[in-house]
Amino acid sequence: MQMALSPRAEALLKALIERYISDGQPVGSRTLSKQAGLELSPATIRNVMADLEDLGLISSPHTSSGRVPTALGYRMFVDSLLTVRPLDSAEIYRMGDELAYDGDPMHLMESASSLLSQVTRLAGIVLVPRQEESFRQIEFLSLPAANRVLVILVTSSGRVHNRVIRVDRHYSAAELVEAANCFNDLYSGRPLSEIRNSLLADLQSDGDAMQRAVKNATDMARHVFADSESSALDLVVSGEANLLQIPDLGDVEKLRKLFDAFTTKRDLLHLLDRSMHAESIQVFIGSESGYQALDECSVVMAPYQADGRVVGTVGVIGPTRMAYDQVISIVDVTARLLGGVLSTEAR
Amino acid sequence: MQMALSPRAEALLKALIERYISDGQPVGSRTLSKQAGLELSPATIRNVMADLEDLGLISSPHTSSGRVPTALGYRMFVDSLLTVRPLDSAEIYRMGDELAYDGDPMHLMESASSLLSQVTRLAGIVLVPRQEESFRQIEFLSLPAANRVLVILVTSSGRVHNRVIRVDRHYSAAELVEAANCFNDLYSGRPLSEIRNSLLADLQSDGDAMQRAVKNATDMARHVFADSESSALDLVVSGEANLLQIPDLGDVEKLRKLFDAFTTKRDLLHLLDRSMHAESIQVFIGSESGYQALDECSVVMAPYQADGRVVGTVGVIGPTRMAYDQVISIVDVTARLLGGVLSTEAR
DNA sequence: GTTTAGCACTCTAGCATTCAGAGTGCCAGA
DNA sequence: TCTGGCACTCTGAATGCTAGAGTGCTAAAC
């Protein structure tokens, strides 16, 4: 189906999409003919456009007004016609400054997301995956309030989960330290999911065979591991408000669905999970994403690395009519910057 | 200026506003005359309405269409005409179930905010004030990564702040425990702000007179106290998406400003701070709030208590045309439920 | 003196009509 | 294979019209 286009048709499609992206108006043959670079009469252009329409790359909103790219058209544009506009180094430098790292990776993700939304004037998203996380350290603190213990879990990425739990009796500080030590020795470096399952299994066997300290630790740890599973914190979205003023997304009902997707996060997580496994930048255009809420949106995501391993993905979400040439390089740079911060940091 | 209205004018105003709230259409004299309870001809009603308009309580969008309440009209309605519709106990019970408390007060606030937004179909907000917080406990954990220490601060409300800091050399676990003990002994129960200032003063004096352990603790604690000042986490907003589908807030530009206010939080914090000092429910109508972004919105807030002391405020934000009778009692009940959870919990 | 009926007036919302402009498709000629 | 020309279509803005809803005012009725 995807027969090769003639070079002329390609050039025309490229010019049309670029024009549409900057104007937002359907593009007609006259307009395109006046455009420098193509010395063709409107009539010729009309013929070519008719071919492009047959191929499903462009369409006209109504019988007789200019053409508009379809999702397929954008796809071809992004895949093979686009000339990405690299950022100048001053810009990159400025962006790097904005990425503040204070030790809390969550803050870093938030600042990356917010940076993206400011620079692109779209919504920025950062996915902080949990599946790869492993256990680093647990600690139990006795609280003054009766029979309360604060459980603190530190994961390999440096994220910290804490939770206050009620316990059945008072534990001395020494007991708590011992329990933590046992647990740390037992599970250090193991993936969270594995530990979670293991804890669940322990709960069922309920063996009296276990040492007391280990048993205590297991009981208390269970709560915070249950928390760490919740993926609520894994996705950071910012700059949603930018989407409000984009005329392309005028349909209030669709906009509401989109915002719902931001708060629910479920669908987005699935989608972004896919982009994790890609080598480089990925662009989901319109309904390609498979989620209704994103029908009129495109998502541009780039995986970022820490010490050579992909640990998450970062990008933006905006209308299908977005300035891909700029957005792609901005997302690319952000992913690199983020990777840089994470990697130097770990050294 | 606020001369007493005749009972008839009051009844009329009340009927008009109730009608407008449920319909969203300007209300004319005929409509009002047909309404049960008032046996008056349209002409009479027109006379009264003219008076109400002179008083600035209602206005007509254009020369000849029905009347619409002004902010002043809503104010009088809310202050003296409104018959609050109490929730039935089943409803209250159901809401109580939704307020899950797992030991983390932040989760509780989020669930309260989300509960409000679901029940009212508006945006829910919860203010968690910081000024009243006092110090409960600090702890330092050594991390495997070179020269990193995790600082954990627990405040009186049970909130936990953590931060990873770099230190100049390796500290042994024993050193860290000692430092924490010193610090805890020194500052237990004192207000955060006081400690913050004290730490700042110490930094300047830089006295060699201080014990080494105390000095270490002070240096490390400084970072997390700086964090705890940031008020970013103090305001929880949820259900913003609900506002999108409200026809009254059709102006996209205003909506964008409103969403910006949600993410900036600064203005909202100021406003809500005011509502903290009120005894009971407060309603800010339209431009009364003094913030442009809230021009076409009303804010209904109720302070909530923990053990008899007001510790925060909870409520909703929506269009000026909202069902005050229901919203007010929903907010009221939520504040009580929240207070209940916080108080039983502390016992 | 309050209330009501009647009347002239005003403004909106919807509808049909018109008209210019932009764009298309197609055909015939270069 | 490209281009010029022509008939056709569709949109969007402007216009005029009408019905409906609502008002303000005045004079009569209670």
Side-chain angles (χ1 to χ4, degrees):
Chain A
M1 153 201 183
Q2 198 63 289
M3 60 166 275
L5 290 178
S6 73
R8 196 176 63 179
E10 279 191 352
L12 210 65
L13 179 61
K14 181 168 183 238
L16 186 147
I17 295 186
E18 279 169 351
R19 180 64 182 236
Y20 180 69
I21 284 176
S22 73
D23 279 17
Q25 298 296 324
V27 185
S29 55
R30 280 182 58 91
T31 321
L32 226 44
S33 147
K34 276 179 285 187
Q35 188 121 336
L38 308 158
E39 302 303 334
L40 294 172
S41 78
T44 315
I45 291 178
R46 281 202 288 277
N47 289 328
V48 181
M49 289 208 298
D51 295 347
L52 291 175
E53 185 157 17
D54 288 345
L55 288 171
L57 298 170
I58 58 180
S59 72
S60 28
H62 45 81
T63 320
S64 201
S65 189
R67 303 306 215 290
V68 158
T70 62
L72 201 61
Y74 278 123
R75 163 82 13 227
M76 165 157 283
F77 177 70
V78 167
D79 284 348
S80 45
L81 304 178
L82 184 65
T83 47
V84 172
R85 174 190 312 191
L87 297 184
D88 60 32
S89 54
E91 188 73 6
I92 295 178
Y93 193 74
R94 212 176 53 71
M95 285 173 63
D97 281 353
E98 298 277 326
L99 273 188
Y101 192 41
D102 62 355
D104 181 346
M106 213 58 200
H107 282 181
L108 179 62
M109 300 310 158
E110 275 160 18
S111 98
S113 173
S114 142
L115 171 64
L116 272 174
S117 76
Q118 278 168 35
V119 177
T120 61
R121 308 213 127 266
L122 304 173
I125 34 186
V126 176
L127 179 71
V128 195
R130 62 191 142 86
Q131 51 270 58
E132 301 290 354
E133 295 234 86
S134 58
F135 174 70
R136 187 187 274 174
Q137 190 171 357
I138 203 165
E139 219 64 37
F140 304 111
L141 292 186
S142 155
L143 294 182
N147 294 356
R148 290 287 151 69
V149 171
L150 171 62
V151 187
I152 298 153
L153 167 67
V154 187
T155 67
S156 51
S157 72
R159 278 175 65 188
V160 180
H161 298 262
N162 24 247
R163 179 131 178 193
V164 177
I165 61 168
R166 289 184 229 208
V167 287
D168 49 351
R169 63 172 178 86
H170 177 76
Y171 287 81
S172 72
E175 270 183 303
L176 292 179
V177 169
E178 191 199 349
N181 286 343
C182 287
F183 198 94
N184 287 329
D185 290 348
L186 205 54
Y187 290 115
S188 177
R190 310 267 283 283
L192 290 193
S193 55
E194 183 191 321
I195 303 182
R196 202 174 294 128
N197 293 336
S198 164
L199 292 182
L200 226 59
D202 289 354
L203 180 63
Q204 304 200 332
S205 77
D206 197 16
D208 322 66
M210 275 197 280
Q211 276 187 285
R212 224 200 44 211
V214 178
K215 174 129 176 40
N216 287 343
T218 312
D219 282 348
M220 295 191 283
R222 188 147 32 228
H223 297 89
V224 72
F225 273 92
D227 268 11
S228 72
E229 185 173 35
S230 102
S231 55
L233 286 169
D234 289 350
L235 179 63
V236 179
V237 183
S238 55
E240 304 97 314
N242 284 340
L243 301 181
L244 284 180
Q245 55 189 352
I246 292 174
D248 301 44
L249 304 173
D251 184 341
V252 190
E253 182 49 28
K254 293 209 165 179
L255 213 45
R256 202 188 62 77
K257 282 197 178 138
L258 186 56
F259 274 70
D260 271 351
F262 286 149
T263 46
T264 323
K265 297 187 172 177
R266 195 174 40 83
D267 287 354
L268 276 179
L269 280 173
H270 284 147
L271 176 63
L272 300 191
D273 200 48
R274 274 197 264 157
S275 77
M276 280 274 300
H277 307 306
E279 283 291 303
S280 62
I281 285 207
Q282 266 206 312
V283 184
F284 300 93
I285 296 167
S287 50
E288 282 179 5
S289 64
Y291 298 102
Q292 214 196 337
L294 296 176
D295 253 13
E296 289 172 6
C297 295
S298 283
V299 182
V300 179
M301 298 301 303
Y304 61 88
Q305 310 191 326
D307 297 318
R309 224 165 43 86
V310 171
V311 294
T313 161
V314 63
V316 300
I317 181 164
T320 41
R321 178 175 86 83
M322 66 165 75
Y324 293 95
D325 54 347
Q326 294 169 52
V327 168
I328 285 178
S329 50
I330 291 171
V331 169
D332 185 50
V333 165
T334 309
R336 283 176 213 278
L337 286 173
L338 196 53
V341 173
L342 287 172
S343 300
T344 15
E345 191 52 26
R347 233 167 258 143
Chain B
M1 157 200 182
Q2 197 65 288
M3 58 167 276
L5 291 177
S6 74
R8 196 176 62 180
E10 279 191 350
L12 209 67
L13 179 61
K14 181 168 183 241
L16 186 146
I17 296 185
E18 279 169 351
R19 181 64 182 237
Y20 180 68
I21 284 175
S22 74
D23 280 18
Q25 298 295 325
V27 185
S29 54
R30 279 182 61 88
T31 321
L32 226 43
S33 144
K34 276 179 285 187
Q35 188 122 338
L38 306 158
E39 302 302 336
L40 295 172
S41 76
T44 315
I45 291 177
R46 281 201 289 277
N47 289 328
V48 181
M49 289 208 297
D51 296 346
L52 291 175
E53 185 156 17
D54 289 344
L55 289 170
L57 297 169
I58 57 179
S59 70
S60 27
H62 46 81
T63 320
S64 199
S65 189
R67 305 305 215 290
V68 158
T70 62
L72 200 61
Y74 278 124
R75 162 85 8 229
M76 164 158 284
F77 177 71
V78 168
D79 284 348
S80 46
L81 304 178
L82 185 65
T83 48
V84 171
R85 175 190 310 194
L87 296 184
D88 60 31
S89 53
E91 189 74 5
I92 295 178
Y93 192 75
R94 212 175 53 71
M95 285 173 63
D97 281 352
E98 298 277 328
L99 273 188
Y101 193 42
D102 61 357
D104 182 346
M106 213 56 200
H107 282 180
L108 179 61
M109 301 310 158
E110 276 161 19
S111 98
S113 173
S114 141
L115 172 62
L116 273 174
S117 77
Q118 278 169 36
V119 177
T120 61
R121 309 214 127 267
L122 305 172
I125 33 185
V126 176
L127 179 71
V128 195
R130 64 190 140 88
Q131 51 269 58
E132 301 289 354
E133 295 234 89
S134 58
F135 175 70
R136 187 186 275 173
Q137 191 172 355
I138 204 164
E139 219 65 36
F140 304 111
L141 292 185
S142 153
L143 294 181
N147 295 354
R148 289 290 151 69
V149 170
L150 170 62
V151 187
I152 297 152
L153 166 69
V154 187
T155 67
S156 51
S157 72
R159 278 173 65 186
V160 180
H161 299 261
N162 23 247
R163 175 125 185 204
V164 176
I165 60 168
R166 289 185 229 206
V167 285
D168 48 353
R169 63 174 179 86
H170 178 75
Y171 287 82
S172 73
E175 269 183 303
L176 292 179
V177 169
E178 190 199 350
N181 286 344
C182 286
F183 198 94
N184 286 329
D185 290 347
L186 204 53
Y187 290 114
S188 179
R190 310 267 282 282
L192 290 193
S193 54
E194 183 191 321
I195 303 181
R196 202 173 295 126
N197 293 337
S198 163
L199 292 181
L200 227 57
D202 288 353
L203 180 61
Q204 304 200 333
S205 76
D206 198 16
D208 323 66
M210 275 196 280
Q211 276 186 285
R212 221 198 47 212
V214 178
K215 175 130 175 40
N216 287 343
T218 311
D219 282 349
M220 294 191 283
R222 194 153 18 236
H223 297 89
V224 72
F225 273 92
D227 268 11
S228 72
E229 184 172 35
S230 101
S231 55
L233 286 169
D234 288 352
L235 179 63
V236 179
V237 183
S238 56
E240 303 97 314
N242 284 339
L243 300 182
L244 284 180
Q245 54 190 352
I246 293 175
D248 301 45
L249 304 174
D251 183 342
V252 189
E253 183 48 29
K254 294 211 164 178
L255 212 46
R256 203 188 61 76
K257 283 199 177 135
L258 186 57
F259 274 70
D260 272 351
F262 285 151
T263 45
T264 323
K265 297 189 174 177
R266 196 173 40 84
D267 288 353
L268 275 179
L269 280 173
H270 283 147
L271 176 63
L272 300 191
D273 199 47
R274 277 196 263 157
S275 79
M276 280 275 299
H277 308 305
E279 284 290 303
S280 63
I281 285 207
Q282 267 206 309
V283 184
F284 300 92
I285 296 167
S287 49
E288 283 179 5
S289 63
Y291 299 102
Q292 214 196 337
L294 297 176
D295 253 12
E296 288 172 6
C297 294
S298 284
V299 183
V300 178
M301 299 301 302
Y304 62 88
Q305 310 190 326
D307 296 319
R309 225 163 43 85
V310 170
V311 294
T313 161
V314 63
V316 301
I317 182 166
T320 42
R321 178 174 87 83
M322 66 165 75
Y324 292 96
D325 55 345
Q326 294 169 51
V327 169
I328 285 178
S329 52
I330 291 170
V331 170
D332 186 49
V333 164
T334 310
R336 282 177 213 277
L337 286 173
L338 196 53
V341 174
L342 287 172
S343 301
T344 17
E345 191 52 26
R347 232 168 260 145

